[in-house]
Amino acid sequence: MDHFIYKDGELCAESITVRDIAREVGTPFYLYSTATLLRHYRLMDEALAGTRHLICYSVKAASNQAILMTLAAEGAGMDVVSVGEYLRAVTAGVSPQKIVFSGVGKMIEEMRLVLSGGIRQFNVESESELDDLSALAVDMKTVVPISIRVNPDVDALTHAKISTGKSENKFGVPISRVRQVYAYAATLPSLKVVGIDVHIGSQLTNLEPFALAYRKIAELVKALREDGHDISRLDLGGGLGIPYSRSNEVPPLPMEYGALIKREVGHLGCEIEIEPGRVIVGNAALLVSRVISIKSGESRQFLILDAAMNDLVRPAMYDSWHDIISVVEPSADSQETVYDVVGPVCETGDTFARHRWLPYLKPDDLVAFRGAGAYGAVMASEYNSRRLIPEVLVKDDQFAVIRPRPTYDEMINRDTLPSWL
């Protein structure tokens, strides 16, 4: 459920019409709903009721300060994969003791800054990272809590580009070697083993891969405890999918996911950490765009929008589906037309949908892409020297621009010229 619904024939974000926001902000823009963000976070929290747990929102899904502050006020921790995300989380008011630092390529300067500011734990990816982290911690006279990321060789049954738990993926320590790596970690100074980390992929619409991975982790907990390691935390990652197309995808509910966690690892006495991103923010935002024109091709009609692949890259990168709806509610007897929905970027790949049935539309009509909150604004670029588009946050009957559209001068003047020009 989200809080983008038609009222009196107009698409509304909570208590404000999308048309009114577009009139003031201009198109295209991202539009987030506070009520939807909070609802999704609270559902994940309720799903783990009865366990010791921390929900570490995955900052890479959507990293605007207003979003992070909204979730931090609810008690959320954060999962970060760069020092920039760490600084965003801290600036948003998240305690460093609620931040988990993940990522396959942490650099020494990143580790140093994070250790200076404080951290809940490092999710370590390799022996070389253990060496670097230990040497740095000794130099800084501190002790670092760590979990080691395990690659369980489980197929997440999701898109190949967002699958992270198979043996050929770059993430984690192979499960066949993980006891050796934990034994090595225990010999290094200034490191404190606290848990195990696993994350198998994103946009999972089937619970079985989670179950397979978590069963392997449960067995590993027993083995590592037998080896003398104090395993008190399980970071089970994120990845729960959302329904991008309301008719074709029915991902598991948060309560079903929570029940699986309790069933598979609840008996181990560990504190549970999860790292949801998409499931919290994905359906909490729309991308709102204006129709520039309708162009007739040899065998199809092109609906040309002012949004483009640089604003929302997911369809071009992942062949992903987003429901596209009219901001004006179609009447019961309105006709539909088949369009290829495209943007103005000079790439054939700048295509949002092919052969999509939509209400009859004309220039200047507004449309909205559902499910645009995760990996939307954070992956945007200025390709074709197109300005980054605004992000807008709604709460009840109020809205605020939380990232403004830069001017062309601001965009161009970020370049600096060498002395010889």
Side-chain angles (χ1 to χ4, degrees), residues 91-163:
T91 303
V94 182
S95 165
Q97 298 309 310
K98 297 175 80 170
I99 300 175
V100 172
F101 192 12
S102 304
V104 75
K106 306 179 191 74
M107 295 178 284
I108 296 291
E109 55 268 32
E110 291 185 304
M111 294 180 183
R112 186 183 300 278
L113 190 150
V114 168
L115 288 179
S116 297
I119 194 72
R120 176 179 174 84
Q121 76 197 39
F122 274 75
N123 287 338
V124 176
E125 293 266 358
S126 65
E127 292 98 326
S128 62
E129 186 181 332
L130 285 172
D131 290 335
D132 291 341
L133 190 56
S134 173
L136 192 57
V138 169
D139 182 60
M140 297 178 70
K141 298 180 173 59
T142 189
V143 175
V144 189
I146 66 164
S147 291
I148 293 176
R149 181 168 179 174
V150 177
N151 185 316
D153 194 20
V154 169
D155 188 347
L157 305 178
T158 187
H159 193 287
K161 291 184 179 180
I162 52 177
S163 179

Side-chain angles (χ1 to χ4, degrees), residues 160-406:
K161 291 184 179 180
I162 52 177
S163 179
T164 62
K166 297 199 298 186
S167 59
E168 64 261 33
N169 298 138
K170 67 181 180 180
F171 299 96
V173 173
I175 196 165
S176 60
R177 289 199 304 109
V178 76
R179 291 177 77 174
Q180 300 168 240
V181 177
Y182 269 91
Y184 179 61
T187 70
L188 295 175
S190 293
L191 300 184
K192 180 185 178 183
V193 171
V194 297
I196 301 172
D197 172 43
V198 65
H199 177 64
I200 61 172
S202 186
Q203 185 53 21
L204 275 74
T205 57
N206 184 334
L207 286 178
E208 187 58 24
F210 286 123
L212 291 173
Y214 297 166
R215 285 170 201 155
K216 290 188 176 187
I217 295 303
E219 290 300 314
L220 183 59
V221 170
K222 296 174 186 176
L224 290 175
R225 285 174 172 171
E226 289 172 0
D227 292 344
H229 303 288
D230 182 14
I231 305 298
S232 59
R233 297 177 188 166
L234 293 181
D235 186 334
L236 300 177
L240 192 62
I242 65 172
Y244 281 105
S245 172
R246 295 188 171 190
S247 59
N248 297 334
E249 292 179 297
V250 186
L253 297 173
M255 292 302 291
E256 295 171 319
Y257 176 60
L260 179 143
I261 289 173
K262 294 173 186 178
R263 182 172 66 250
E264 299 295 342
V265 300
H267 61 286
L268 297 170
C270 294
E271 183 177 13
I272 302 300
E273 300 163 338
I274 59 171
E275 301 166 0
R278 187 191 311 267
V279 74
I280 290 177
V281 76
N283 281 331
L286 306 174
L287 169 62
V288 181
S289 183
R290 179 178 60 85
V291 176
I292 296 175
S293 62
I294 292 91
K295 176 181 177 180
S296 295
E298 183 68 28
S299 61
R300 63 193 65 206
Q301 290 226 93
F302 296 97
L303 185 73
I304 304 175
L305 305 180
D306 62 358
M309 64 184 288
N310 70 296
D311 305 312
L312 179 65
V313 74
R314 293 189 70 255
M317 181 176 285
Y318 304 120
D319 295 318
S320 60
W321 174 289
H322 287 267
D323 280 342
I324 304 170
I325 61 174
S326 172
V327 166
V328 175
E329 185 175 20
S331 62
D333 59 351
S334 63
Q335 294 184 340
E336 289 192 333
T337 305
V338 177
Y339 299 105
D340 279 14
V341 184
V342 302
V345 156
C346 192
E347 293 271 357
T348 300
D350 184 23
T351 299
F352 293 116
R354 291 181 174 85
H355 200 77
R356 184 74 65 89
W357 286 93
L358 294 173
Y360 173 79
L361 293 163
K362 60 186 185 303
D364 290 327
D365 283 347
L366 298 177
V367 297
F369 292 73
R370 288 192 175 274
Y375 310 103
V378 287
M379 296 181 77
S381 74
E382 292 177 343
Y383 185 46
N384 278 196
S385 287
R386 289 169 51 84
R387 297 176 294 170
L388 292 176
I389 66 175
E391 293 176 85
V392 178
L393 181 64
V394 168
K395 184 177 182 182
D396 301 324
D397 60 353
Q398 306 174 75
F399 75 90
V401 175
I402 58 175
R403 183 183 72 181
R405 193 190 316 272

Side-chain angles (χ1 to χ4, degrees), residues 11-28:
L11 184 64
C12 292
E14 300 187 25
S15 298
I16 310 175
T17 69
V18 172
R19 188 197 297 270
D20 284 344
I21 299 172
R23 190 176 294 118
E24 184 164 332
V25 175
T27 57

